[in-house]
Structures are given as C-alpha cells and as structure tokens.
Amino acid sequence: MVYLVTTENRLVDTSYKIISVEESLKLLSTLSIVGLDTETSGLDCHNDTLLSLQLGCYDFQVVVDCTKINILLYKDYLESNREFLFWNAKFDLKWLYKYNIIPKKVYDGYLAEKLMYLGYPSGYHSMSLKSAGEQYLNIELDKTIRGQIIWKGLTDDVIIYAAKDVQYLEKIKNAQYKELSKKELLTAIEYENKFVLALAYEEFCGVKLDQEKWLNKMKSDKAALNEAETALNNFIINLAKTDNNFKKFTFINTQGDLFEGFDLTPKCTINWNSAQQVIEVFTLLGFNLLSKDKKTGQMKSSVDAKIIKPQKDLSPIAPIYLKYKAAQKVVSTYGQNVLDQVDKKTGRLYTQFNQLGADTTRITSGGTDGKKEYINFLNMPSDEMTRSCFVAELNNNWISIDYVGQETYLMASIANDKAILKELNEGSGDIHSLTAYMTYKEIPRDTPIKEVKKKYHNLRQEAKGIEFSINYGGNADTIARNKGIPLEEANKIYNEYMSGFKGLKKYQNFRRKDWFDKGYILLSPLTGHKAFIYDYEDLKTTQESFKEPGFWDYYREMKKNSPMCDTVQNVKHFFKRKSENERCSINFPIQAAGSFCLRVSMINFFEWLRKENLLFKVLICITPYDEFDVEAPKGIAERVALKLKEFMVKAGAYFCDKCKLDADISYDKNGYLPTYWIH
C-alpha cells in the first residue's frame, strides 16, 4: 500500500492514500529496517529542491511531499537507531544533510554490488537498482518516469514510481547478504556503510576558493606556459643555425608588412600541441619514441612525458618540453573551469567522490553527471600558489594533517622486511639512503646509513626511482625502461636490491602466486576487501591447455606461421594478464592499506563530530589519499586538529602494526594553524 503525506488537495486516486504526518510516523514506527529514497528537482543539493522523501518496506511505502511538508518533522525518526536502506546512499544523504539530518545506521545496496564486482572492468556488471531487482528478485522496476520528474513534479505516476524504489530494498539486501557471505565480504560492507556517511559529508561540505587569488594563479600559470613555449621555440631556432635538418621548422618573413615593416627574426613554426610535429622533432634528435598502445597493443610513436623523461639526458630540449607539458596540463585542467564551478550562493567548490573508485578501494574524484565535468580534488597541483587559493571561512582555521611516509611504512609492515623495519624503527628513517646502500656496492660497506645522503647524494637520488620501479611489482625491465639504461645494468640493480631486502622479495614472490590460487587479490585480511580477477576461470582453462601433449610444439609452429591464430593470441593474452595481475597483487594491498587508514580515520572522526555536535561547524574539505584538510572555528580548531591526528595515528597502528605510522599537523611560520591550505 502506498501512502502520501501532503497538505495539497488531490483528486481521489485508488493507487495511494493520503495521510497525516502523525499517521505516517505511527505507521513507520513498527519498522526497524526502513527503505529510504528521495526524489529531487536536480542533482545539486545546495541549489535544487527536495521533492519527496520515501520511507517504507515491502508491505507499505510512505511518500512525503517535501514541497508541502517540513522534512524536519521526520528528523527524530531518521536519526533513530533504525537501519535505513539506500541505493547509492551518498546522493540521498547529502539531501538529508541539507536539513542537518544525520542517520546513524545505513546500508547501501549499490556499494554492496560494487564490492562484489571490485576488480571487474567498468560496465561488466550493472550497478543499477533496476538490474538488482531483475537479478535477485526477478522483477522489473520501471525507470521510464525518472527523467520526467523534474518537469512533472509529484504527479500520481511519480508517487507510485517513487514508492517502488523503497518497496524492494530489504528483499534485495537479504539476497545480497547471501552473496556477500559467500564471498566473505560481510565485514567489508560494514566498513563501507559506515564510511559513506562521512564521504557524503565531505562531498556536501566542499571547499572555499579565494577567486581573486585563483585569477592571479591563472595569470602565473599562463606566464609559465608562455615562458616554456618561448624556450622551446628558441631552442629550435638556435639549433637550426647549426643543423640543416631543423631549418624547416623555422621561418623568416622576407616580404615584410605594409604597416609593421620587416621582421627578419627567425620564428619557430612548430605547434607544440601537435603530437605529429613534436614526434618528428624528437625523432631527429635521437629519441626512442616507440611505446605500446594500450587500446590496440601495437607499437606506436609517442611524446608523452613518461616516454621522454627516462631519456632526458639525450638533449637539453627534454627538460624544457617536460616543463611545457606540465604547465600546459595545469592551464587546461585547473584554470577557468575551476572558477566556473564555484557555487554562486555558497562561494564553495564541490565535486563528486567515487567511494570504490579504484580496485584498491581508493576513492576517486571528478567525473561527470552527464551535464558537468567535475574537478578532480585529489589531483590538485601541490605548489604553494595553487594550494593557498583554498581557504577557510571567516573565523575558521584550516587544518591540514598528513601521514608521514605512509606508503613506505605500510610496505615495510605488510612485507615484514626486517632491513626496512630496522631503519624505520631504530635508524634515521631514511629509506632512500638505505636503498642506495643496498643497491650500489660502490658505497663502502662501513658507511652509516645516515651519512649516505651527504656523501653519496647522486646515488640516493637514483635510488628513489629504483624504489618506485621495484616496490610495486616492477622488475629489471621496468628499471631499464624508467631510467633509460641497458637491461644488463638494470638486472644487476634489481638483483642487488632484492638480495638486500629479503622480506620484500619473499612478499612479492608470495603475492605473485596468491592471486592465481584464490581468484582474487585479498586487499586486507583485516577488512576482507577483495579485488576479483574477472577472467579467472578463462585464465585457469588456458593454463590447463598448456599441459596438453604437444601444445608448446604446436604453439611455436603457429607463432611462426600464423601469429594471429587463436592459440598464439590466447597464450599472449594469458601471459599479459598474468603479468598485470602479479603487479596488482603486489601493489594493491599496500595501496588499499592506505585507503583503509583514511576510511577508518574518517569514520571515527565523523562519529566524534556527531557526538560533539560539531557537524556543519567543522567541515571536511579535501582528503588527498594520505591527508586530511578540514576547517574548524578558531576557538576549537586546535582541539579538533589534535583529535583528528589521534584518529589517524590509531588507524595507522591498526593497518601498520610493525612500525609507527605517524601524522603531522601543518602550522604556519609562526606556529599557528593557518587560514588557508599551506601543506
């Protein structure tokens, strides 16, 4: 049965019954598990209108006409100890937060689906409520009305449609729970259901932008881009004076101009945004530009920064070009488009967060809602000028706290590498120096690690790249590619590294096998999160075929005579996927542990803010992976900062139990909490 709560006079309709607020609350009081959904005039909770709130179960549904009924009349009910069931809770929660309504216990069926298909390609499995109804209950939920709600309002068919969205939520949850249990994901969904309350709050809060500062930043960014482009042009002009191969890239206007006269200064004709033109230049300069196209798998020429960087010593143009590409990205990604998205009413900038955006469970930011391309908060440039544009509201302080060396500490703890742990727990903590010492035998064996930075600075710098190459599943090929050195030299570096870090080697060897034994990558034994190998059964079948008599003889023959045949392509695909999954199996648990540190810290911090009645006073603004950026009233900001740090360190100790993962609060030069992002 469908009930409508409204003060509007409506024609009698047998499809629903009009009742009062009091009657609806009495009816709903019988439920301990409640389906919840909203209908809105748009996607923006700060500017659009909440049209209705739907509450109920399979037997009955209550549709509250929020254009006529004050939703705050349901605040006590919505903040009770009942469990509220959502589909994509983050969206609906923001609309409740608009009215300072904070549910305590939620279940998000959408997140449950995401968990069960973490690791699968996007689009492999539909995450919609309609699809869940078909999959679990064999029912079809009509969604044809959804797009009409904005202009239709709460018509009779909209009311019935809205009610249907909560009718089946409990039945779907019960069916999902069986699947979650089979996949051992019940603990994981508990974490995600708690985290969505906090993440929705962060999305709701947004961040204040000093628009005047941002305009100045844009001018500076444009000047940096022009400077880099001028440097590139001058390089080519000067090169053309001594190398005839480059004269075709310059032009002298010998005909002059009626108004401006003659200008015999050479001009560079290269469009530095044209990959075709830049490829020609770098090829002439001796760069190896071949790389594998991710989509086609074929080799092609590219002038991406990752191709040029390892060869930066080939020509002085390389660092200039890399500087140009970096400046170009800043101008195009973080310029006027950011100003255009500042909310005119609040003066704040808002984005979208995807709670399980990466297979490691890390949140992602940005994306589109079909109309608007949101800013990626998590990839914001870290230079001082950019960050200073993000400010606290008047009479607030900005709180920035980040983990100290998070990935190194997590890697050491998870891999249980004695050498790294000893340096972190008992030594200087300088892992780059330790890496240099382990890898480069030209450093005398009696050199204290704390002296490596001073005495062998260059080798220590080189060690940073080696760590990045190896620690997350790379090998000698990776080192050779990243550093632009011969494979023989890279092999020596790799072997020395692994002989020095035996715990890391043992961990990586285990991880390279474990994913194939299980069919998934266990992201954390503490939470139960898993990244599934979507084609696991196919890979097993292919591997079994290798055991068939004569298989490899047939393969070698076909590779020579018919390289595009199914057999050759299947083998190629198998080893490509095997290599990918081995790297992921090594990398993902470390990345995931960092994600869980953030999740658990944020869950505890959010609940503390609720308990202290500080929600909507203390705002969670930006959380770039290992860092919290929060603003709080000046009178309590220091207390809030210390409490947040306490939660971060406590979460760190849970996921990093063999060494202390600490966190630092950023203060200004006078030792006070700032009013803008200074980290």
Side-chain angles (χ1 to χ4, degrees):
M1 181 66 188
V2 178
Y3 298 92
L4 175 66
V5 183
T6 186
T7 57
E8 183 182 34
N9 291 323
R10 286 177 173 260
L11 296 174
V12 175
D13 189 295
T14 56
S15 60
Y16 61 84
K17 178 181 179 182
I18 296 177
I19 60 175
S20 66
V21 172
E22 292 76 15
E23 289 173 313
S24 70
L25 286 171
K26 183 176 180 181
L27 189 63
L28 291 165
S29 67
T30 61
L31 302 179
S32 59
I33 298 176
V34 188
L36 190 155
D37 191 30
T38 61
E39 299 301 337
T40 65
S41 68
L43 303 176
D44 183 354
C45 67
H46 297 283
N47 294 287
D48 294 322
T49 303
L50 178 64
L51 299 176
S52 67
L53 169 71
Q54 298 87 255
L55 300 164
C57 60
Y58 179 75
D59 294 324
F60 67 86
Q61 304 86 45
V62 174
V63 179
V64 181
D65 177 0
C66 294
T67 66
K68 299 291 186 292
I69 302 295
N70 187 349
I71 191 177
L72 290 175
L73 295 172
Y74 292 84
K75 180 177 171 68
D76 288 344
Y77 184 84
L78 294 168
E79 292 183 343
S80 67
N81 290 321
R82 292 173 175 83
E83 180 180 42
F84 291 94
L85 313 181
F86 294 77
W87 197 272
N88 194 10
K90 184 160 60 65
F91 177 82
D92 302 295
L93 286 169
K94 288 190 296 179
W95 287 90
L96 297 182
Y97 292 165
K98 182 176 182 177
Y99 299 94
N100 288 24
I101 295 172
I102 319 291
K104 287 191 175 83
K105 187 178 181 182
V106 304
Y107 174 87
D108 189 341
Y110 168 78
L111 290 177
E113 288 298 303
K114 290 281 284 184
L115 271 180
M116 288 188 282
Y117 287 88
L118 201 62
Y120 285 74
S122 176
Y124 185 95
H125 174 78
S126 173
M127 302 295 166
S128 69
L129 177 59
K130 183 178 188 298
S131 177
E134 294 168 356
Q135 177 184 348
Y136 295 114
L137 306 179
N138 199 28
I139 60 166
E140 184 173 353
L141 293 169
D142 183 12
K143 292 294 178 182
T144 57
I145 294 176
R146 172 182 288 169
Q148 306 172 21
I149 292 173
I150 292 176
W151 57 269
K152 263 189 168 186
L154 288 178
T155 57
D156 290 347
D157 54 348
V158 169
I159 290 166
I160 298 303
Y161 161 83
K164 289 286 185 185
D165 273 359
V166 299
Q167 181 176 7
Y168 297 100
L169 288 178
E170 187 173 1
K171 286 182 176 290
I172 290 174
K173 178 203 168 183
N174 292 337
Q176 284 181 324
Y177 245 59
K178 292 179 182 177
E179 295 303 312
L180 289 165
S181 180
K182 288 179 187 176
K183 295 175 182 284
E184 298 180 324
L185 290 170
L186 292 179
T187 301
I189 191 61
E190 286 181 21
Y191 274 96
E192 298 307 324
N193 287 333
K194 290 176 181 177
F195 183 53
V196 72
L197 287 162
L199 189 63
Y201 182 67
E202 179 181 1
E203 200 169 292
F204 177 83
C205 290
V207 60
K208 187 173 180 64
L209 185 75
D210 186 320
Q211 297 184 53
E212 186 175 344
K213 276 188 176 181
W214 192 263
L215 284 169
N216 289 333
K217 181 202 90 77
M218 287 171 59
K219 291 177 184 176
S220 177
D221 291 342
K222 185 65 176 175
L225 178 61
N226 291 338
E227 182 183 341
E229 185 175 9
T230 299
L232 285 171
N233 291 337
N234 288 339
F235 182 89
I236 296 298
I237 290 168
N238 290 327
L239 190 61
K241 294 175 182 177
T242 57
D243 190 332
N244 289 333
N245 290 320
F246 291 88
K247 284 188 176 180
K248 61 181 176 179
F249 300 119
T250 63
F251 170 75
I252 297 177
N253 183 6
T254 56
Q255 295 186 2
D257 183 272
L258 180 62
F259 300 101
E260 297 182 5
F262 287 89
D263 179 8
L264 299 180
T265 306
K267 302 290 189 299
C268 178
T269 61
I270 297 169
N271 175 3
W272 295 102
N273 293 325
S274 168
Q276 185 177 353
Q277 292 183 40
V278 178
I279 284 170
E280 186 178 358
V281 171
F282 276 77
T283 300
L284 283 172
L285 288 168
F287 284 79
N288 179 9
L289 304 179
L290 289 178
S291 67
K292 187 176 289 187
D293 187 286
K294 288 184 178 179
K295 292 182 179 179
T296 65
Q298 302 300 311
M299 299 300 288
K300 70 170 190 176
S301 293
S302 168
V303 282
D304 286 347
K306 64 181 180 181
I307 303 297
I308 302 299
K309 193 173 182 179
Q311 306 175 71
K312 62 182 183 295
D313 295 334
L314 274 179
S315 167
I317 197 175
I320 306 172
Y321 180 71
L322 291 171
K323 186 176 180 180
Y324 171 81
K325 293 295 289 183
Q328 182 191 49
K329 182 177 180 180
V330 170
V331 168
S332 62
T333 309
Y334 296 103
Q336 183 61 43
N337 58 324
V338 174
L339 284 178
D340 292 343
Q341 292 191 30
V342 175
D343 189 279
K344 291 179 173 59
K345 184 167 66 176
T346 67
R348 298 179 77 85
L349 187 65
Y350 302 97
T351 191
Q352 294 185 140
F353 293 108
N354 188 341
Q355 184 164 332
L356 291 166
D359 291 337
T360 60
T361 76
R362 273 189 165 182
I363 61 172
T364 56
S365 171
T368 180
D369 59 15
K371 296 180 181 179
K372 176 173 163 184
E373 190 72 30
Y374 288 92
I375 304 299
N376 182 354
F377 276 16
L378 306 181
N379 204 28
M380 198 67 68
S382 59
D383 62 279
E384 183 178 348
M385 179 175 283
T386 299
R387 293 203 164 182
S388 69
C389 296
F390 296 96
V391 298
E393 297 283 354
L394 186 65
N395 297 320
N396 277 4
N397 280 122
W398 185 282
I399 299 168
S400 185
I401 312 177
D402 72 318
Y403 282 109
V404 180
Q406 186 190 59
E407 286 196 356
T408 297
Y409 280 77
L410 288 171
M411 181 197 68
S413 184
I414 292 170
N416 193 22
D417 188 283
K418 304 301 183 185
I420 302 176
L421 288 170
K422 182 178 180 181
E423 184 62 27
L424 293 176
N425 291 326
E426 303 172 22
S428 64
D430 186 350
I431 302 305
H432 301 319
S433 291
L434 178 63
T435 299
Y437 177 86
M438 292 292 193
T439 307
Y440 297 108
K441 297 306 181 188
E442 54 260 53
I443 299 177
R445 297 299 86 187
D446 59 350
T447 305
I449 300 301
K450 63 182 180 181
E451 293 182 14
V452 170
K453 183 176 182 179
K454 181 180 178 181
K455 294 182 176 180
Y456 302 96
H457 178 73
N458 290 340
L459 293 179
R460 183 180 178 276
Q461 287 297 109
E462 290 293 319
K464 293 180 181 180
I466 294 169
E467 287 174 31
F468 183 80
S469 297
I470 298 177
N471 289 355
Y472 302 109
N475 53 24
D477 287 332
T478 315
I479 297 171
R481 187 168 57 250
N482 290 351
K483 296 178 73 63
I485 60 176
L487 184 58
E488 184 180 352
E489 182 182 345
N491 264 315
K492 181 181 177 184
I493 290 172
Y494 180 81
N495 292 333
E496 293 289 3
Y497 188 93
M498 283 307 188
S499 66
F501 300 114
K502 293 182 173 59
L504 184 62
K505 181 180 181 180
K506 182 179 179 181
Y507 164 78
Q508 292 194 358
N509 288 341
F510 171 77
R511 299 301 314 175
R512 285 190 171 96
K513 285 181 70 281
D514 190 59
W515 70 271
F516 203 88
D517 293 339
K518 291 185 169 75
Y520 59 80
I521 299 168
L522 181 61
L523 299 176
S524 172
L526 299 172
T527 69
H529 286 76
K530 301 171 177 67
F532 295 95
I533 310 301
Y534 69 91
D535 53 353
Y536 180 57
E537 293 302 325
D538 291 339
L539 294 176
K540 283 205 305 182
T541 300
T542 300
Q543 189 189 51
E544 283 299 311
S545 70
F546 297 165
K547 300 175 183 177
E548 295 173 5
F551 175 87
W552 288 111
D553 290 336
Y554 177 73
Y555 164 77
R556 283 186 283 271
E557 179 184 346
M558 296 308 292
K559 185 179 180 182
K560 180 180 179 181
N561 298 324
S562 183
M564 298 308 294
C565 73
D566 288 347
T567 298
V568 175
Q569 291 303 308
N570 284 343
V571 171
K572 182 179 179 180
H573 176 75
F574 174 85
F575 284 104
K576 179 184 177 183
R577 288 287 294 138
K578 180 175 180 289
S579 178
E580 289 172 352
N581 289 329
E582 285 177 355
R583 285 196 303 272
C584 290
S585 186
I586 290 167
N587 183 15
F588 280 14
I590 298 166
Q591 298 290 322
S595 170
F596 298 140
C597 286
L598 175 77
R599 276 167 152 70
V600 172
S601 302
M602 203 153 148
I603 289 168
N604 290 331
F605 184 55
F606 180 81
E607 290 306 320
W608 179 77
L609 293 177
R610 184 209 297 268
K611 181 182 175 184
E612 297 291 316
N613 196 29
L614 291 175
L615 289 170
F616 310 108
K617 298 171 187 172
V618 174
L619 308 176
I620 302 176
C621 302
I622 310 176
T623 53
Y625 305 124
D626 64 347
E627 176 183 338
F628 276 85
D629 293 286
V630 172
E631 58 174 295
K634 289 183 177 180
I636 61 169
E638 187 67 31
R639 180 167 75 97
V640 171
L642 291 172
K643 197 67 184 178
L644 176 54
K645 176 179 176 176
E646 177 186 320
F647 288 130
M648 291 175 70
V649 172
K650 185 177 179 181
Y654 187 58
F655 294 101
C656 184
D657 61 348
K658 295 180 179 65
C659 49
K660 183 180 180 181
L661 179 55
D662 211 343
D664 272 350
I665 302 173
S666 293
Y667 292 97
D668 64 22
K669 60 184 179 181
N670 297 315
Y672 299 108
L673 288 172
T675 56
Y676 56 91
W677 193 2
I678 65 170
H679 179 73

